[in-house]
Amino acid sequence: HAVELAVHESRLLKIEYWTQTEDRYSDRTVEPYALFNGKEAWYVAAWEHERGLRHFRLDRIKHAEALDEHFERREEVNPIADIGGWPRTGTVGGSRVARVLISAEQAR
C-alpha cells in the first residue's frame, strides 16, 4: 500500500483527496507521519506545507503514490495531536482513542 510505504520510508506522498466541505477532489503532496485507526475510519497524519498537520481519511483518498523524494521528519510534529479535540501539543484530553502505527525510524 502506497500510504504505508511512504510513512515507513519517510517518502513524500502524492494523493488525490476528496474534501467533503468542498465536494471535490484535489491533488496534494504531503509528508506522511503515521497511520491511525480513529473512531470513524483509518487516517494518515501528514504535514501539508500550506496547512500544517492534517489528518486524511484513507477512504477519501482516490489515488496515492509514494514519491521517490524523501523528507526529514519535523521534530515539532506530533502525528496524533488534535485528534478528537486534543491540543496540538499532544497532551491527552480528548475522548477519542486512536491506534497509531509509526515508522520504526521514528520510534527509535
Side-chain angles (χ1 to χ4, degrees):
H1 191 263
V3 175
E4 186 176 8
L5 175 69
V7 168
H8 287 291
E9 294 185 1
S10 298
R11 291 165 60 175
L12 290 179
L13 180 67
K14 184 176 180 179
I15 59 174
E16 187 176 355
Y17 188 74
W18 182 67
T19 305
Q20 185 175 9
T21 56
E22 298 175 12
D23 194 27
R24 69 179 182 89
Y25 282 96
S26 60
D27 291 324
R28 301 166 184 235
T29 300
V30 298
E31 300 171 0
Y33 280 79
L35 289 168
F36 66 92
N37 188 359
K39 186 176 180 181
E40 304 89 19
W42 277 90
Y43 295 82
V44 59
W47 183 266
E48 193 171 17
H49 290 282
E50 297 81 26
R51 298 179 178 155
L53 180 64
R54 311 294 283 181
H55 298 116
F56 298 98
R57 282 179 61 144
L58 293 187
D59 61 351
R60 292 184 182 162
I61 296 175
K62 183 177 181 179
H63 177 76
E65 177 185 358
L67 302 178
D68 291 335
E69 184 180 347
H70 293 264
F71 66 94
E72 292 292 323
R73 292 183 176 268
R74 300 164 190 266
E75 290 183 25
E76 71 275 12
V77 173
N78 179 344
I80 60 170
D82 203 27
I83 297 174
W86 298 357
R88 292 204 180 275
T89 60
T91 58
V92 178
S95 60
R96 185 178 298 171
V97 175
R99 183 174 59 181
V100 180
L101 302 174
I102 301 174
S103 73
E105 180 181 312
Q106 185 179 3
R108 289 183 196 158

